[in-house]
Amino acid sequence: MPPKFKRHLNDDEVTGSVKSERRNLLEEDSDEEEDFFLRGPSGPRFGPRNDKIRHVQNQVDEVIDVMQENITKVIERGERLDDLQDKSESLSDNATAFSNRAKQLRRQMWWRGCKVR
């Protein structure tokens, strides 16, 4: 049974709280070292490296998107395979029942033929 007061957070709430916490940390008086870790690198010496980092981050984001699509497709494929397996089991059961009924009917007709003779 789930806890009474358990609440699911959506992305906006989490992102908003992280941004507000960061803003609060940045508004306080801090030295340059803390600013570097909170704001990230800035200045002319970090410019080209920043572009490389952005480029790599964009590539990582693309890979993440592709992997999410692949996972979705695999899940859908699994569902389709489960449906196909259920249908094949049903078809097999129906075929067995048909075969048994056909044997039974053949025997009945054979006995009826014997009785007529």
Side-chain angles (χ1 to χ4, degrees), residues 29-92:
D29 292 332
S30 61
D31 59 357
E32 289 182 25
E33 186 176 318
E34 287 179 2
D35 286 347
F36 174 80
F37 289 110
L38 294 174
R39 296 179 196 270
S42 61
R45 65 181 184 183
F46 295 110
R49 186 167 182 216
N50 237 358
D51 291 340
K52 289 180 184 178
I53 291 172
R54 280 194 202 110
H55 178 68
V56 170
Q57 184 63 43
N58 289 340
Q59 287 178 337
V60 169
D61 291 341
E62 288 176 14
V63 169
I64 288 172
D65 291 341
V66 169
M67 291 306 297
Q68 287 175 344
E69 288 177 24
N70 289 344
I71 290 171
T72 303
K73 288 178 182 178
V74 166
I75 291 171
E76 289 172 357
R77 180 177 178 261
E79 291 171 356
R80 287 195 310 265
L81 286 174
D82 289 342
D83 290 344
L84 185 61
Q85 183 177 3
D86 292 342
K87 288 178 183 179
S88 67
E89 287 174 0
S90 174
L91 185 61
S92 176

Side-chain angles (χ1 to χ4, degrees), residues 87-105:
K87 288 178 183 179
S88 67
E89 287 174 0
S90 174
L91 185 61
S92 176
D93 292 343
N94 288 340
T96 303
F98 177 80
S99 176
N100 290 339
R101 180 68 181 130
K103 286 178 188 176
Q104 196 178 38
L105 186 60

